[in-house]
Amino acid sequence: VQSKSDLVWVAPPYVGPAGRNFRRADGVEIDVWGIGRRPVSYGEGSYDEISHYPLRDFTDPEELGGYLFPDPGWFDYAALPAIIARAQADGPRAVILGNANIFETSWYMRGLENMMMDLIAEPDFAAELMRRVTAFYLEFMGRCLEAAKGQIDLIFTADDIGQQNGLMISFALWAKSIKPFHQEVNRVAHQHGAKVIYHTDGAVMEALPGLIDMGIDVLEALQFDASGMDPVKMKALYGDRLCFHGGVSVQSTLPYGSPEDVRREVRARIEVLGKGGGYILAPSHAVQAGTPVANVLAFFDAAERPLG
C-alpha cells in the first residue's frame, strides 16, 4: 500500500539557547520548557515519559518570575515559507502548525497531581502558570502565521481533559480555569484565517458545547471506546458546527480485531461522521506497536474503496 497523508506538519527551526531543546548525555530529552523526558519500554516499543518536572517544587506564583520560560524569539520564523513549499512539492496538502496545549504544558512542568491540586487549592498559582504558557503560544503562533502569509491551514491545539469514564475535572472548573486561555489562542488563529484543530482523548461528550464555544473547528481524536462517546449522536448534535478527525479505534479494533472488523469500522465511521462532509478519516490515536500489519492494510483498503 502506498499512501500519502493529506496533512503535513510544519514548524520553524529552533535557534535558541543550547540549554534547551537538546538531548543530555544520559539520554534525557530537554524541551524548550525545560521538561525532561526519557524513553520507557513497554516491550514492543517505548514511550517518552516525563522524568523531570521543572516547577514541581514551586509554591508561590512569584517564583514563576525567576524561571526561564521559552522566548518566542528562539525560533526562525523566516524559514517557514520555504519549509511549507518543500512540504507541498509533491502535491497540495493541508498544512498544520502545532502544538498549543496549555493545561498539559503547565502540568508537564508542574506534575499532574500538583496541577490538579493547584486548580482547587492554589488557583492563583495555576492561573499565573497558564497565563505565562498562553503568552508564549499567542506570540509563537502569531509570528508563525504572519511569516507563513496565509499558507497555514490548521493550528493544532490540545489538552487531554477526558479519561475513560468522564472528564478529568468538572466541566465548570474547566470552563472557569482553562477554557479562557484557549479562547485567546483560537482567536489569533482565526484572525489569520486558520482553522483550529483540538485534540483530547477520553469521554468528552459533556464538554463538546464548551469546546465549540471555545472556538474550535475540528475535534480530534474521537475515542469511541470511552464511556458515552457515540458517533451517531455526536454527528447529529454537533456535525453542523464541528469537523471530526479520527475515530477508528487503536484501543480495540485495530490491535485486536480482524481485518474485516477494521474494514467494517472504517466504513461505519465514513458513513456516519462523513455524511455531508466534515470528516477526516484517521485512527483514534497513533497506531500502537504490535498492531497486526493485516489490520493496518485493511484500514487503508477500506479507506480507498467507495461506499456501497
Side-chain angles (χ1 to χ4, degrees):
V1 174
Q2 291 186 345
S3 184
K4 181 188 77 173
S5 174
D6 294 323
L7 311 175
V8 61
W9 289 78
V10 299
Y14 177 79
V15 292
R20 295 287 175 89
N21 204 39
F22 78 108
R23 181 190 293 271
R24 295 190 327 209
D26 61 2
V28 172
E29 296 271 1
I30 304 296
D31 69 11
V32 296
W33 299 92
I35 301 161
R37 293 177 176 83
R38 61 183 178 87
V40 176
S41 173
Y42 59 87
E44 295 174 314
S46 65
Y47 283 110
D48 289 338
E49 297 190 4
I50 297 175
S51 58
H52 174 61
Y53 302 88
L55 306 183
R56 182 187 61 185
D57 297 324
F58 282 37
T59 59
D60 191 297
E62 293 187 3
E63 292 181 85
L64 297 172
Y67 184 73
L68 180 62
F69 283 82
D71 187 326
W74 291 355
F75 300 87
D76 180 10
Y77 303 99
L80 270 175
I83 292 171
I84 293 170
R86 287 195 296 271
Q88 303 278 33
D90 59 349
R93 300 180 183 181
V95 177
I96 305 179
L97 172 75
N99 175 16
N101 50 342
I102 295 164
F103 172 62
E104 288 180 338
T105 299
S106 299
W107 78 250
Y108 293 168
M109 303 176 75
R110 182 81 173 120
L112 181 58
E113 184 176 351
N114 283 342
M115 191 68 190
M116 294 292 238
M117 291 191 293
D118 289 341
L119 289 171
I120 300 297
E122 301 291 342
D124 290 344
F125 187 100
E128 178 61 15
L129 175 53
M130 288 190 285
R131 185 192 68 76
R132 290 174 179 270
V133 171
T134 304
F136 168 80
Y137 283 129
L138 285 171
E139 184 69 17
F140 174 81
M141 295 296 180
R143 291 198 195 184
C144 287
L145 290 162
E146 288 282 355
K149 302 185 185 305
Q151 297 183 81
I152 291 174
D153 302 296
L154 290 163
I155 295 294
F156 191 93
T157 65
D159 269 337
D160 280 336
I161 58 171
Q163 52 185 326
Q164 192 69 27
N165 297 309
L167 298 180
M168 293 171 60
I169 61 176
S170 73
F171 178 78
L173 182 58
W174 169 82
K176 175 184 177 182
S177 302
I178 300 172
K179 175 185 173 183
F181 294 112
H182 274 280
Q183 285 178 308
E184 294 184 56
V185 173
N186 297 344
R187 191 175 302 117
V188 168
H190 290 148
Q191 286 172 349
H192 288 82
K195 300 294 186 183
V196 176
I197 183 169
Y198 177 89
H199 165 89
T200 178
D201 297 317
V204 294
M205 284 290 286
E206 176 188 357
L208 293 194
L211 292 172
I212 292 169
D213 183 64
M214 190 174 79
I216 72 169
D217 302 292
V218 185
L219 178 66
E220 190 265 352
L222 310 180
Q223 186 185 343
F224 292 122
D225 293 296
S227 178
M229 292 289 285
D230 181 341
V232 175
K233 183 177 180 181
M234 187 178 289
K235 181 70 173 183
L237 291 177
Y238 308 114
D240 60 336
R241 289 165 287 171
L242 276 181
C243 175
F244 301 104
H245 179 294
V248 179
S249 176
V250 301
Q251 191 173 355
S252 57
T253 312
L254 278 166
Y256 303 119
S258 67
E260 186 51 39
D261 290 332
V262 173
R263 293 187 186 94
R264 187 180 303 112
E265 184 161 308
V266 169
R267 289 194 294 266
R269 296 290 179 259
I270 295 172
E271 288 172 351
V272 172
L273 296 172
K275 185 177 181 180
Y279 179 50
I280 302 168
L281 176 68
S284 61
H285 210 290
V287 176
Q288 300 298 294
T291 298
V293 172
N295 285 1
V296 177
L297 296 176
F299 174 92
F300 285 108
D301 178 61
E304 294 173 351
R305 289 179 181 268
L307 294 177

Short mmCIF file of all heavy atoms in Angstrom, two decimals, residues 245-304:
data_model
loop_
_atom_site.label_atom_id
_atom_site.label_comp_id
_atom_site.label_asym_id
_atom_site.label_seq_id
_atom_site.Cartn_x
_atom_site.Cartn_y
_atom_site.Cartn_z
N HIS A 245 -12.15 14.33 13.33
CA HIS A 245 -10.89 13.73 12.88
C HIS A 245 -10.57 12.53 13.76
O HIS A 245 -10.48 12.66 14.98
CB HIS A 245 -9.77 14.78 12.98
CG HIS A 245 -8.41 14.29 12.57
ND1 HIS A 245 -7.71 13.32 13.25
CD2 HIS A 245 -7.61 14.67 11.54
CE1 HIS A 245 -6.54 13.12 12.67
NE2 HIS A 245 -6.45 13.93 11.63
N GLY A 246 -10.41 11.35 13.14
CA GLY A 246 -10.02 10.17 13.91
C GLY A 246 -11.14 9.16 14.01
O GLY A 246 -11.92 8.97 13.10
N GLY A 247 -11.21 8.45 15.15
CA GLY A 247 -12.35 7.60 15.47
C GLY A 247 -12.22 6.13 15.20
O GLY A 247 -13.05 5.35 15.65
N VAL A 248 -11.20 5.68 14.46
CA VAL A 248 -11.01 4.24 14.24
C VAL A 248 -10.13 3.72 15.38
O VAL A 248 -9.00 4.14 15.54
CB VAL A 248 -10.37 3.95 12.87
CG1 VAL A 248 -10.17 2.45 12.69
CG2 VAL A 248 -11.26 4.50 11.76
N SER A 249 -10.67 2.83 16.18
CA SER A 249 -10.12 2.51 17.49
C SER A 249 -8.73 1.89 17.47
O SER A 249 -8.51 0.84 16.87
CB SER A 249 -11.07 1.56 18.24
OG SER A 249 -10.49 1.17 19.47
N VAL A 250 -7.80 2.56 18.19
CA VAL A 250 -6.50 1.95 18.46
C VAL A 250 -6.51 1.23 19.81
O VAL A 250 -5.50 0.66 20.22
CB VAL A 250 -5.35 2.98 18.44
CG1 VAL A 250 -5.29 3.68 17.10
CG2 VAL A 250 -5.49 3.99 19.57
N GLN A 251 -7.65 1.28 20.48
CA GLN A 251 -7.79 0.65 21.79
C GLN A 251 -8.35 -0.77 21.68
O GLN A 251 -8.06 -1.63 22.50
CB GLN A 251 -8.71 1.50 22.67
CG GLN A 251 -8.77 1.12 24.14
CD GLN A 251 -9.57 2.12 24.95
OE1 GLN A 251 -10.01 3.16 24.43
NE2 GLN A 251 -9.78 1.84 26.22
N SER A 252 -9.14 -1.01 20.63
CA SER A 252 -9.74 -2.34 20.49
C SER A 252 -9.65 -2.86 19.05
O SER A 252 -9.00 -3.88 18.79
CB SER A 252 -11.21 -2.31 20.95
OG SER A 252 -11.95 -1.34 20.23
N THR A 253 -10.26 -2.17 18.09
CA THR A 253 -10.42 -2.74 16.75
C THR A 253 -9.11 -2.95 16.03
O THR A 253 -8.82 -4.05 15.52
CB THR A 253 -11.34 -1.84 15.91
OG1 THR A 253 -12.50 -1.51 16.65
CG2 THR A 253 -11.75 -2.56 14.63
N LEU A 254 -8.28 -1.91 15.92
CA LEU A 254 -7.02 -2.06 15.17
C LEU A 254 -6.07 -3.08 15.82
O LEU A 254 -5.52 -3.93 15.12
CB LEU A 254 -6.35 -0.70 15.00
CG LEU A 254 -6.88 0.14 13.83
CD1 LEU A 254 -6.43 1.58 13.94
CD2 LEU A 254 -6.46 -0.44 12.49
N PRO A 255 -5.87 -3.05 17.14
CA PRO A 255 -4.92 -4.03 17.70
C PRO A 255 -5.48 -5.43 17.87
O PRO A 255 -4.73 -6.40 17.80
CB PRO A 255 -4.55 -3.42 19.06
CG PRO A 255 -5.73 -2.59 19.43
CD PRO A 255 -6.27 -2.06 18.14
N TYR A 256 -6.79 -5.56 18.10
CA TYR A 256 -7.34 -6.86 18.50
C TYR A 256 -8.43 -7.41 17.58
O TYR A 256 -8.81 -8.57 17.70
CB TYR A 256 -7.91 -6.77 19.92
CG TYR A 256 -6.89 -6.31 20.93
CD1 TYR A 256 -7.08 -5.14 21.66
CD2 TYR A 256 -5.72 -7.04 21.15
CE1 TYR A 256 -6.14 -4.71 22.59
CE2 TYR A 256 -4.77 -6.62 22.08
CZ TYR A 256 -4.99 -5.46 22.80
OH TYR A 256 -4.05 -5.04 23.71
N GLY A 257 -8.94 -6.60 16.67
CA GLY A 257 -9.98 -7.07 15.76
C GLY A 257 -9.39 -7.81 14.58
O GLY A 257 -8.17 -7.93 14.41
N SER A 258 -10.27 -8.31 13.75
CA SER A 258 -9.86 -8.94 12.49
C SER A 258 -9.79 -7.88 11.40
O SER A 258 -10.32 -6.78 11.56
CB SER A 258 -10.87 -10.01 12.09
OG SER A 258 -12.12 -9.39 11.75
N PRO A 259 -9.16 -8.18 10.26
CA PRO A 259 -9.17 -7.23 9.16
C PRO A 259 -10.59 -6.82 8.75
O PRO A 259 -10.83 -5.66 8.43
CB PRO A 259 -8.45 -7.97 8.03
CG PRO A 259 -7.49 -8.87 8.75
CD PRO A 259 -8.24 -9.32 9.97
N GLU A 260 -11.53 -7.76 8.78
CA GLU A 260 -12.91 -7.41 8.43
C GLU A 260 -13.52 -6.49 9.48
O GLU A 260 -14.32 -5.61 9.15
CB GLU A 260 -13.76 -8.66 8.25
CG GLU A 260 -15.16 -8.38 7.75
CD GLU A 260 -15.20 -7.48 6.51
OE1 GLU A 260 -14.34 -7.65 5.61
OE2 GLU A 260 -16.09 -6.59 6.45
N ASP A 261 -13.17 -6.69 10.76
CA ASP A 261 -13.63 -5.76 11.80
C ASP A 261 -13.15 -4.35 11.51
O ASP A 261 -13.90 -3.37 11.68
CB ASP A 261 -13.11 -6.19 13.18
CG ASP A 261 -13.73 -7.47 13.69
OD1 ASP A 261 -14.89 -7.76 13.33
OD2 ASP A 261 -13.05 -8.17 14.47
N VAL A 262 -11.90 -4.25 11.07
CA VAL A 262 -11.34 -2.93 10.76
C VAL A 262 -12.08 -2.32 9.58
O VAL A 262 -12.48 -1.14 9.62
CB VAL A 262 -9.83 -3.04 10.46
CG1 VAL A 262 -9.29 -1.69 9.97
CG2 VAL A 262 -9.07 -3.51 11.69
N ARG A 263 -12.28 -3.10 8.52
CA ARG A 263 -13.00 -2.57 7.35
C ARG A 263 -14.40 -2.11 7.73
O ARG A 263 -14.87 -1.06 7.28
CB ARG A 263 -13.06 -3.64 6.26
CG ARG A 263 -11.73 -3.99 5.64
CD ARG A 263 -11.90 -4.92 4.46
NE ARG A 263 -10.61 -5.38 3.95
CZ ARG A 263 -10.01 -6.50 4.30
NH1 ARG A 263 -10.61 -7.33 5.17
NH2 ARG A 263 -8.84 -6.83 3.80
N ARG A 264 -15.06 -2.91 8.55
CA ARG A 264 -16.43 -2.57 8.97
C ARG A 264 -16.45 -1.25 9.75
O ARG A 264 -17.32 -0.41 9.53
CB ARG A 264 -16.99 -3.71 9.81
CG ARG A 264 -18.47 -3.56 10.15
CD ARG A 264 -18.97 -4.71 11.01
NE ARG A 264 -18.74 -6.00 10.35
CZ ARG A 264 -17.89 -6.92 10.77
NH1 ARG A 264 -17.15 -6.72 11.87
NH2 ARG A 264 -17.75 -8.05 10.12
N GLU A 265 -15.48 -1.07 10.64
CA GLU A 265 -15.46 0.15 11.44
C GLU A 265 -15.11 1.36 10.59
O GLU A 265 -15.69 2.45 10.76
CB GLU A 265 -14.47 0.02 12.61
CG GLU A 265 -14.48 1.23 13.52
CD GLU A 265 -13.88 0.93 14.88
OE1 GLU A 265 -14.32 -0.05 15.53
OE2 GLU A 265 -13.00 1.69 15.31
N VAL A 266 -14.16 1.22 9.68
CA VAL A 266 -13.81 2.33 8.79
C VAL A 266 -15.03 2.76 7.98
O VAL A 266 -15.34 3.95 7.87
CB VAL A 266 -12.64 1.94 7.86
CG1 VAL A 266 -12.47 2.98 6.75
CG2 VAL A 266 -11.35 1.79 8.66
N ARG A 267 -15.75 1.77 7.41
CA ARG A 267 -16.93 2.11 6.62
C ARG A 267 -18.00 2.80 7.48
O ARG A 267 -18.64 3.76 7.04
CB ARG A 267 -17.50 0.85 5.96
CG ARG A 267 -16.64 0.30 4.83
CD ARG A 267 -17.40 -0.74 4.01
NE ARG A 267 -17.70 -1.93 4.80
CZ ARG A 267 -16.93 -3.02 4.83
NH1 ARG A 267 -15.80 -3.05 4.13
NH2 ARG A 267 -17.28 -4.08 5.54
N ALA A 268 -18.17 2.32 8.71
CA ALA A 268 -19.17 2.91 9.60
C ALA A 268 -18.81 4.35 9.95
O ALA A 268 -19.68 5.23 9.99
CB ALA A 268 -19.30 2.08 10.88
N ARG A 269 -17.53 4.60 10.20
CA ARG A 269 -17.12 5.98 10.54
C ARG A 269 -17.35 6.91 9.35
O ARG A 269 -17.82 8.05 9.52
CB ARG A 269 -15.64 5.99 10.93
CG ARG A 269 -15.30 5.21 12.19
CD ARG A 269 -15.85 5.87 13.44
NE ARG A 269 -15.52 5.07 14.62
CZ ARG A 269 -16.37 4.25 15.24
NH1 ARG A 269 -17.62 4.12 14.79
NH2 ARG A 269 -15.98 3.55 16.29
N ILE A 270 -17.03 6.45 8.15
CA ILE A 270 -17.23 7.29 6.97
C ILE A 270 -18.72 7.54 6.75
O ILE A 270 -19.14 8.67 6.46
CB ILE A 270 -16.59 6.64 5.73
CG1 ILE A 270 -15.07 6.58 5.89
CG2 ILE A 270 -16.96 7.41 4.46
CD1 ILE A 270 -14.38 5.78 4.81
N GLU A 271 -19.53 6.51 6.88
CA GLU A 271 -20.97 6.64 6.64
C GLU A 271 -21.62 7.60 7.63
O GLU A 271 -22.51 8.38 7.27
CB GLU A 271 -21.64 5.27 6.72
CG GLU A 271 -21.33 4.36 5.54
CD GLU A 271 -21.85 2.95 5.74
OE1 GLU A 271 -22.29 2.63 6.87
OE2 GLU A 271 -21.81 2.16 4.77
N VAL A 272 -21.20 7.55 8.90
CA VAL A 272 -21.82 8.37 9.92
C VAL A 272 -21.17 9.75 10.00
O VAL A 272 -21.83 10.79 9.80
CB VAL A 272 -21.76 7.68 11.30
CG1 VAL A 272 -22.23 8.62 12.40
CG2 VAL A 272 -22.60 6.41 11.29
N LEU A 273 -19.89 9.79 10.28
CA LEU A 273 -19.22 11.07 10.50
C LEU A 273 -18.96 11.83 9.21
O LEU A 273 -18.86 13.06 9.21
CB LEU A 273 -17.89 10.84 11.23
CG LEU A 273 -18.02 10.27 12.65
CD1 LEU A 273 -16.65 9.90 13.20
CD2 LEU A 273 -18.73 11.24 13.58
N GLY A 274 -18.88 11.09 8.10
CA GLY A 274 -18.61 11.75 6.82
C GLY A 274 -19.85 12.16 6.05
O GLY A 274 -19.74 12.76 4.98
N LYS A 275 -21.02 11.87 6.60
CA LYS A 275 -22.26 12.22 5.89
C LYS A 275 -22.35 13.74 5.72
O LYS A 275 -22.34 14.50 6.68
CB LYS A 275 -23.47 11.71 6.65
CG LYS A 275 -24.77 11.92 5.91
CD LYS A 275 -25.94 11.32 6.68
CE LYS A 275 -27.25 11.50 5.91
NZ LYS A 275 -28.40 10.90 6.65
N GLY A 276 -22.40 14.18 4.47
CA GLY A 276 -22.46 15.61 4.20
C GLY A 276 -21.13 16.31 4.32
O GLY A 276 -21.06 17.54 4.25
N GLY A 277 -20.05 15.55 4.51
CA GLY A 277 -18.72 16.14 4.67
C GLY A 277 -18.38 16.37 6.13
O GLY A 277 -19.15 16.06 7.03
N GLY A 278 -17.18 16.92 6.34
CA GLY A 278 -16.79 17.26 7.70
C GLY A 278 -16.16 16.14 8.47
O GLY A 278 -16.28 16.08 9.70
N TYR A 279 -15.46 15.23 7.80
CA TYR A 279 -14.79 14.15 8.50
C TYR A 279 -13.43 13.87 7.88
O TYR A 279 -13.31 13.76 6.65
CB TYR A 279 -15.62 12.87 8.47
CG TYR A 279 -14.97 11.69 9.16
CD1 TYR A 279 -14.45 11.81 10.44
CD2 TYR A 279 -14.87 10.45 8.53
CE1 TYR A 279 -13.84 10.74 11.07
CE2 TYR A 279 -14.27 9.37 9.16
CZ TYR A 279 -13.75 9.51 10.43
OH TYR A 279 -13.15 8.44 11.05
N ILE A 280 -12.40 13.76 8.73
CA ILE A 280 -11.06 13.37 8.32
C ILE A 280 -10.81 11.99 8.89
O ILE A 280 -10.72 11.82 10.12
CB ILE A 280 -10.00 14.36 8.84
CG1 ILE A 280 -10.31 15.78 8.35
CG2 ILE A 280 -8.60 13.94 8.39
CD1 ILE A 280 -9.49 16.87 9.04
N LEU A 281 -10.75 11.00 8.04
CA LEU A 281 -10.58 9.62 8.49
C LEU A 281 -9.18 9.42 9.05
O LEU A 281 -8.19 9.79 8.43
CB LEU A 281 -10.80 8.65 7.33
CG LEU A 281 -10.54 7.17 7.63
CD1 LEU A 281 -11.59 6.63 8.59
CD2 LEU A 281 -10.51 6.36 6.34
N ALA A 282 -9.12 8.82 10.25
CA ALA A 282 -7.83 8.54 10.88
C ALA A 282 -8.06 7.60 12.07
O ALA A 282 -9.19 7.47 12.55
CB ALA A 282 -7.17 9.84 11.36
N PRO A 283 -7.01 6.96 12.55
CA PRO A 283 -7.13 6.22 13.80
C PRO A 283 -7.43 7.17 14.96
O PRO A 283 -7.23 8.39 14.86
CB PRO A 283 -5.75 5.57 13.97
CG PRO A 283 -5.13 5.59 12.61
CD PRO A 283 -5.67 6.82 11.95
N SER A 284 -7.87 6.60 16.08
CA SER A 284 -8.21 7.42 17.25
C SER A 284 -6.97 7.88 18.01
O SER A 284 -7.10 8.63 19.00
CB SER A 284 -9.14 6.65 18.19
OG SER A 284 -8.51 5.47 18.67
N HIS A 285 -5.82 7.45 17.62
CA HIS A 285 -4.54 7.92 18.15
C HIS A 285 -3.46 7.26 17.30
O HIS A 285 -3.76 6.66 16.27
CB HIS A 285 -4.37 7.58 19.64
CG HIS A 285 -3.52 8.58 20.38
ND1 HIS A 285 -2.17 8.70 20.17
CD2 HIS A 285 -3.85 9.50 21.33
CE1 HIS A 285 -1.69 9.66 20.95
NE2 HIS A 285 -2.69 10.17 21.67
N ALA A 286 -2.20 7.36 17.73
CA ALA A 286 -1.13 6.70 17.00
C ALA A 286 -1.35 5.19 17.01
O ALA A 286 -1.70 4.62 18.04
CB ALA A 286 0.22 7.03 17.63
N VAL A 287 -1.16 4.56 15.86
CA VAL A 287 -1.27 3.10 15.79
C VAL A 287 -0.14 2.51 16.63
O VAL A 287 1.03 2.84 16.46
CB VAL A 287 -1.17 2.62 14.33
CG1 VAL A 287 -1.18 1.10 14.27
CG2 VAL A 287 -2.34 3.19 13.53
N GLN A 288 -0.51 1.62 17.55
CA GLN A 288 0.44 1.12 18.53
C GLN A 288 1.31 -0.01 17.98
O GLN A 288 0.89 -0.78 17.10
CB GLN A 288 -0.30 0.64 19.77
CG GLN A 288 -1.12 1.73 20.45
CD GLN A 288 -0.26 2.88 20.94
OE1 GLN A 288 0.55 2.71 21.84
NE2 GLN A 288 -0.45 4.05 20.36
N ALA A 289 2.52 -0.14 18.53
CA ALA A 289 3.39 -1.26 18.20
C ALA A 289 2.66 -2.56 18.53
O ALA A 289 1.96 -2.65 19.53
CB ALA A 289 4.69 -1.17 18.99
N GLY A 290 2.82 -3.55 17.66
CA GLY A 290 2.15 -4.82 17.86
C GLY A 290 0.83 -4.94 17.13
O GLY A 290 0.24 -6.02 17.07
N THR A 291 0.33 -3.84 16.57
CA THR A 291 -0.90 -3.90 15.77
C THR A 291 -0.63 -4.76 14.53
O THR A 291 0.35 -4.54 13.82
CB THR A 291 -1.33 -2.49 15.34
OG1 THR A 291 -1.61 -1.71 16.51
CG2 THR A 291 -2.58 -2.54 14.48
N PRO A 292 -1.49 -5.75 14.24
CA PRO A 292 -1.25 -6.61 13.08
C PRO A 292 -1.15 -5.80 11.78
O PRO A 292 -1.98 -4.92 11.52
CB PRO A 292 -2.47 -7.53 13.06
CG PRO A 292 -2.96 -7.55 14.48
CD PRO A 292 -2.67 -6.17 15.01
N VAL A 293 -0.16 -6.13 10.98
CA VAL A 293 0.03 -5.44 9.70
C VAL A 293 -1.22 -5.60 8.83
O VAL A 293 -1.63 -4.66 8.13
CB VAL A 293 1.27 -5.99 8.98
CG1 VAL A 293 1.37 -5.41 7.57
CG2 VAL A 293 2.53 -5.65 9.76
N ALA A 294 -1.86 -6.77 8.90
CA ALA A 294 -3.06 -7.00 8.09
C ALA A 294 -4.16 -6.01 8.44
O ALA A 294 -4.94 -5.61 7.57
CB ALA A 294 -3.55 -8.44 8.30
N ASN A 295 -4.22 -5.61 9.70
CA ASN A 295 -5.25 -4.65 10.10
C ASN A 295 -4.94 -3.24 9.61
O ASN A 295 -5.84 -2.49 9.24
CB ASN A 295 -5.40 -4.66 11.62
CG ASN A 295 -6.14 -5.88 12.13
OD1 ASN A 295 -6.53 -6.74 11.35
ND2 ASN A 295 -6.33 -5.96 13.44
N VAL A 296 -3.66 -2.89 9.59
CA VAL A 296 -3.27 -1.59 9.05
C VAL A 296 -3.58 -1.54 7.56
O VAL A 296 -4.13 -0.55 7.05
CB VAL A 296 -1.78 -1.32 9.31
CG1 VAL A 296 -1.36 0.01 8.68
CG2 VAL A 296 -1.48 -1.31 10.81
N LEU A 297 -3.28 -2.62 6.85
CA LEU A 297 -3.58 -2.68 5.41
C LEU A 297 -5.08 -2.63 5.17
O LEU A 297 -5.54 -2.00 4.21
CB LEU A 297 -2.98 -3.95 4.81
CG LEU A 297 -1.45 -4.05 4.83
CD1 LEU A 297 -1.00 -5.39 4.28
CD2 LEU A 297 -0.82 -2.91 4.05
N ALA A 298 -5.84 -3.30 6.04
CA ALA A 298 -7.30 -3.28 5.90
C ALA A 298 -7.84 -1.87 6.10
O ALA A 298 -8.81 -1.47 5.44
CB ALA A 298 -7.93 -4.24 6.91
N PHE A 299 -7.24 -1.11 6.99
CA PHE A 299 -7.64 0.28 7.20
C PHE A 299 -7.51 1.08 5.90
O PHE A 299 -8.45 1.76 5.45
CB PHE A 299 -6.79 0.91 8.29
CG PHE A 299 -7.00 2.39 8.49
CD1 PHE A 299 -7.93 2.85 9.41
CD2 PHE A 299 -6.30 3.32 7.74
CE1 PHE A 299 -8.13 4.22 9.59
CE2 PHE A 299 -6.50 4.69 7.91
CZ PHE A 299 -7.42 5.13 8.84
N PHE A 300 -6.35 0.99 5.26
CA PHE A 300 -6.14 1.74 4.01
C PHE A 300 -7.02 1.21 2.89
O PHE A 300 -7.55 1.98 2.08
CB PHE A 300 -4.67 1.68 3.61
CG PHE A 300 -3.77 2.55 4.44
CD1 PHE A 300 -2.90 2.00 5.36
CD2 PHE A 300 -3.80 3.93 4.31
CE1 PHE A 300 -2.08 2.80 6.13
CE2 PHE A 300 -2.98 4.74 5.07
CZ PHE A 300 -2.12 4.17 5.99
N ASP A 301 -7.19 -0.09 2.85
CA ASP A 301 -8.03 -0.69 1.81
C ASP A 301 -9.47 -0.17 1.92
O ASP A 301 -10.07 0.24 0.90
CB ASP A 301 -8.00 -2.21 1.94
CG ASP A 301 -8.90 -2.89 0.92
OD1 ASP A 301 -8.64 -2.71 -0.29
OD2 ASP A 301 -9.86 -3.57 1.32
N ALA A 302 -10.01 -0.18 3.12
CA ALA A 302 -11.38 0.29 3.31
C ALA A 302 -11.51 1.78 3.04
O ALA A 302 -12.53 2.26 2.53
CB ALA A 302 -11.85 -0.05 4.72
N ALA A 303 -10.46 2.52 3.40
CA ALA A 303 -10.49 3.98 3.19
C ALA A 303 -10.55 4.34 1.72
O ALA A 303 -11.15 5.36 1.34
CB ALA A 303 -9.27 4.61 3.83
N GLU A 304 -9.95 3.50 0.87
CA GLU A 304 -9.83 3.83 -0.55
C GLU A 304 -10.96 3.26 -1.38
O GLU A 304 -11.07 3.56 -2.57
CB GLU A 304 -8.48 3.34 -1.06
CG GLU A 304 -7.31 4.10 -0.43
CD GLU A 304 -5.95 3.52 -0.80
OE1 GLU A 304 -5.92 2.44 -1.41
OE2 GLU A 304 -4.93 4.15 -0.46
#
